[in-house]
Amino acid sequence: MIRLEGIKCGVCLTFDVDGPLIWRSKVRVNPKFGNPVCVSLGEFGPEVGVPRILDLLKRYEIQACFFIPGGIIEEYTEMARRIHGEGHEIGFHSYNHVNPADLTYEQQREDFERGLDLFERIFHQRPYGYRSPAADMDEKTWELLDEFDFVYDTTMMGKDSPYIRKMKRNSIVVLPMHWILDDWPHFGWNMYPNFPYQGNIQSQETVYEIWKGEFDGMYELDEGCVYVLCMHPQLMGRTSRLKMLERLIRHMRSLPGVWIARPIELAREVQRALGQ
Ligand SMILES: [Zn+2]
């Protein structure tokens, strides 16, 4: 088990800014996902959710990570620049937001190259971390992460503490997530029920209980767990849910030995702990 010195529990607040692309990328599955109401559900994320989230993070002086697909970086460039300018990490979340497991190696590679080129053009740096769109991937995706020298992945769910996936060139750090710490199964809802991962409209109090319970468990266990919350501004930007997130932040902040940081900071600490 990998322990980070002096840390009882590491916390990463991560936001997948899928915006309307999440619906557009599903149009081939069901054309109804392209209708204006569906698309507007996604627009709420960059237009309303992100500014509110940035204000909340600023109030608590927290640096988070935003995984933004290339298509959204192009459509909402000013938003992406603001997030970056405020010191948050920008993670790689594909260009087109299509499930990589549905693509051939060549198609995956093309999507990576297009997304990485854009990333460098806008942010003048390479991304450190990856989260797969659709929380799905295959071994070809891992080969590409290795080839493009990603430091960490935060899609896998094999543990609740950091671990390593040894590839040909790199030992890639995994900062694992889990569905219970993803807002989509709790809050994701659309009128077309064949949208994957759709849950229901859960009370924010229920989700607070689940999220706090998981955090408290990790903290008490004191085994070097990492608590990676995966949130979507189009869901979390609603006022009731943001108040719930603020309550959770205050709770985590009230305890010693909790490190709330950008995932790359945790990944670097993991590498240090392993002497890499
Ligand atoms: Zn996404």
Side-chain angles (χ1 to χ4, degrees):
M1 190 168 306
I2 304 165
R3 290 296 316 245
L4 303 183
E5 223 183 294
I7 305 298
K8 273 171 79 89
C9 187
V11 175
C12 297
L13 302 184
T14 70
F15 299 91
D16 295 1
V17 191
D18 300 328
L21 196 58
I22 197 166
W23 307 115
R24 289 192 190 121
S25 66
K26 297 285 183 298
V27 166
R28 68 204 160 87
V29 181
N30 182 344
K32 287 178 175 174
F33 287 128
N35 90 36
V37 178
C38 248
V39 171
S40 71
L41 264 179
E43 287 166 350
F44 186 91
E47 289 173 20
V48 182
V50 168
R52 287 181 184 168
I53 289 163
L54 288 174
D55 290 346
L56 174 68
L57 296 172
K58 193 175 268 176
R59 275 208 308 284
Y60 286 87
E61 296 179 339
I62 287 173
Q63 291 195 317
C65 183
F66 292 74
F67 289 89
I68 319 177
I72 294 296
I73 294 174
E74 272 183 341
E75 197 173 338
Y76 295 96
T77 309
E78 280 320 301
M79 172 207 70
R81 285 195 211 277
R82 179 181 166 194
I83 295 171
H84 189 241
E86 293 187 12
H88 302 291
E89 182 183 343
I90 312 286
F92 192 70
H93 198 45
S94 83
Y95 181 86
N96 275 320
H97 207 276
V98 172
N99 185 344
D102 292 339
L103 302 176
T104 63
Y105 173 79
E106 287 71 28
Q107 288 169 326
Q108 285 201 45
R109 198 186 163 79
E110 205 184 311
D111 185 87
F112 264 84
E113 283 175 348
R114 192 170 176 197
L116 290 170
D117 279 355
L118 175 78
F119 204 99
E120 286 191 54
R121 230 174 331 117
I122 302 288
F123 305 117
H124 311 294
Q125 65 178 87
R126 295 288 299 267
Y128 304 113
Y130 177 76
R131 173 171 290 141
S132 160
D136 199 0
M137 60 210 295
D138 59 18
E139 285 306 324
K140 299 187 292 289
T141 323
W142 272 98
E143 286 166 23
L144 288 163
L145 293 181
D146 191 32
E147 189 183 328
F148 290 114
D149 295 323
F150 276 83
V151 177
Y152 71 87
D153 162 74
T154 175
T155 313
M156 302 287 278
M157 308 188 185
K159 291 184 197 295
D160 54 14
S161 56
Y163 61 100
I164 295 291
R165 208 157 195 262
K166 211 161 172 26
M167 303 300 295
K168 232 185 249 166
R169 288 157 54 94
N170 299 291
S171 292
I172 300 178
V173 176
V174 178
L175 299 170
M177 57 170 271
H178 189 275
W179 290 118
I180 60 172
L181 296 180
D182 183 328
D183 58 358
W184 207 282
H186 302 301
F187 295 137
W189 178 251
N190 201 340
M191 56 279 224
Y192 307 124
N194 65 347
F195 186 72
Y197 325 109
Q198 178 158 309
N200 210 325
I201 297 180
Q202 198 58 266
S203 153
Q204 75 278 357
E205 300 306 312
T206 304
V207 178
Y208 181 74
E209 198 179 296
I210 295 169
W211 286 2
K212 178 179 178 289
E214 188 68 9
F215 171 78
D216 287 346
M218 288 182 175
Y219 185 79
E220 281 157 29
L221 195 63
D222 193 13
E223 285 186 357
C225 291
V226 286
Y227 183 86
V228 180
L229 259 189
C230 170
M231 297 169 277
H232 298 76
Q234 60 181 284
L235 303 180
M236 286 305 288
R238 311 302 312 190
T239 56
S240 53
R241 296 166 186 170
L242 275 179
K243 281 169 90 168
M244 181 272 277
L245 176 62
E246 182 167 3
R247 212 176 343 147
L248 187 65
I249 289 172
R250 281 185 195 206
H251 173 64
M252 295 190 293
R253 272 284 180 82
S254 71
L255 297 166
V258 177
W259 187 32
I260 307 179
R262 295 171 293 194
I264 183 58
E265 295 174 86
L266 264 83
R268 294 283 188 219
E269 278 304 306
V270 170
Q271 289 181 323
R272 226 186 315 274
L274 293 171
Q276 287 175 357

